[in-house]
Amino acid sequence: MDAAVPSFDLLPGAPGSPVILHVPHSAREIPAAVRAGIVLDDAALERELDDITDAHTAELAEAAAGLARVTPWRFVNRLSRLVVDPERFPDEREEMLAVGMGAVYTGTTRRGTLRPAGTDPGPLIERYFRPYARAMTEAVRDRLAATGRAVVIDVHSYPTERLPYELHGDGPRPPVCLGTDAFHTAAGLAELARAAFAECGETALDSPFAGAYVPLEFYGTEPRVGALMVEIRRDGYMTEPGGPAGPGLHRLASALAALVAGVGR
């Protein structure tokens, strides 16, 4: 990917939709200059990408948007989270620093080395993380101005079997995990999601992954910004670890479209 090309896309929805489907971890693309700083050989890097990538979630969000009566907006990361992870705190607040997975990863999913010790995250933060954060902030601000509210629905997936990097992976691993935030996730939003995904299997709150993404400008201060993370267990729609999507993708897209419809009412 050329350095002049944005590393993310904001795909417009209906002017009256408050919903942004946020897809941060679906891509495998790593620019050559960033690849040079990763110590894994090509085969090991492909295995790491299989484990860490939320494969087919961009397609899932696209399908859901196509099914929705009122089209949601979509914000899609076009680079791998191994470049930067736009959902991490860029400082010491990030608990995943404990396993080398802050905004710039130095460790792998299996607790190996991704980048050399002492790697300076600053250049990647400035080149990729901050422009992404600014653009997502503007997308939320635009929905607030247009509709009086914004609802960020994060679209993720997770492996059936716990990976060693998971800090809180010892709880249930249901077909659908709903990550919530005490300030930004209203009880009604979580209940809408439970109802929408009822036909996709059991849902659980904040297990094995908790929290929901909100741009830092609004985090904990702007009640008109709602947020929910949807984590889909990968065996429900694809061949693990990094294989093709299956028929479950359409069922999940229909469920996500139902959630979008409920939120937009």
Side-chain angles (χ1 to χ4, degrees):
M1 182 174 289
D2 186 272
V5 178
S7 59
F8 49 82
D9 284 324
L10 175 62
L11 302 165
S17 174
V19 179
I20 301 172
L21 296 180
H22 181 218
V23 187
H25 295 158
S26 66
R28 297 173 70 99
E29 179 78 21
I30 300 174
V34 180
R35 171 67 181 95
I38 292 174
V39 301
L40 302 179
D41 63 28
D42 288 347
L45 179 57
E46 287 302 304
R47 289 193 296 272
E48 181 66 12
L49 286 167
D50 285 346
D51 284 337
I52 201 67
T53 303
D54 294 351
H56 314 297
T57 50
E59 293 94 323
L60 173 61
E62 181 179 15
L67 292 169
R69 180 177 56 83
V70 178
T71 305
W73 296 63
R74 285 179 289 142
F75 196 104
V76 183
N77 190 4
R78 298 304 185 187
L79 295 180
S80 169
R81 64 197 289 192
L82 298 185
V83 179
V84 295
D85 190 331
E87 294 207 312
R88 303 291 200 236
F89 288 111
D91 51 36
E92 67 282 350
R93 288 174 291 176
E94 180 52 60
E95 70 168 354
M96 294 301 291
L97 285 169
V99 289
M101 288 185 158
V104 175
Y105 295 179
T106 56
T108 70
T109 53
R110 300 180 187 278
R111 301 290 188 102
T113 299
L114 183 75
R115 290 182 171 93
T119 294
D120 178 10
L124 292 176
I125 294 287
E126 292 302 319
R127 170 64 184 89
Y128 296 105
F129 184 95
R130 297 203 189 284
Y132 189 108
R134 286 194 295 269
M136 188 65 186
T137 300
E138 286 299 319
V140 170
R141 186 180 292 120
D142 181 70
R143 292 300 84 214
L144 288 172
T147 73
R149 62 192 180 113
V151 182
V152 179
I153 300 176
D154 254 3
V155 185
H156 290 264
S157 70
Y158 74 98
T160 304
E161 299 296 328
R162 178 181 183 176
L163 288 170
Y165 84 96
E166 296 179 25
L167 293 179
H168 309 290
D170 52 353
R173 302 179 81 83
V176 180
C177 161
L178 302 174
T180 66
D181 177 86
F183 186 88
H184 292 281
T185 308
L189 178 54
E191 289 308 310
L192 279 173
R194 281 189 182 276
F197 286 96
E199 294 186 4
C200 300
E202 181 187 0
T203 61
L205 296 181
D206 298 312
S207 180
F209 296 100
Y213 174 77
V214 175
L216 290 176
E217 180 173 317
F218 308 108
Y219 184 66
T221 60
E222 177 52 87
R224 296 180 301 159
V225 177
L228 181 75
M229 178 170 65
V230 177
E231 287 269 6
I232 299 160
R233 202 176 66 203
R234 291 176 188 160
D235 63 345
Y237 75 95
M238 63 173 285
T239 301
E240 296 184 84
L249 189 75
H250 180 76
R251 181 176 67 252
L252 288 159
S254 297
L256 185 56
L259 173 58
V260 169
V263 170
R265 289 194 184 101

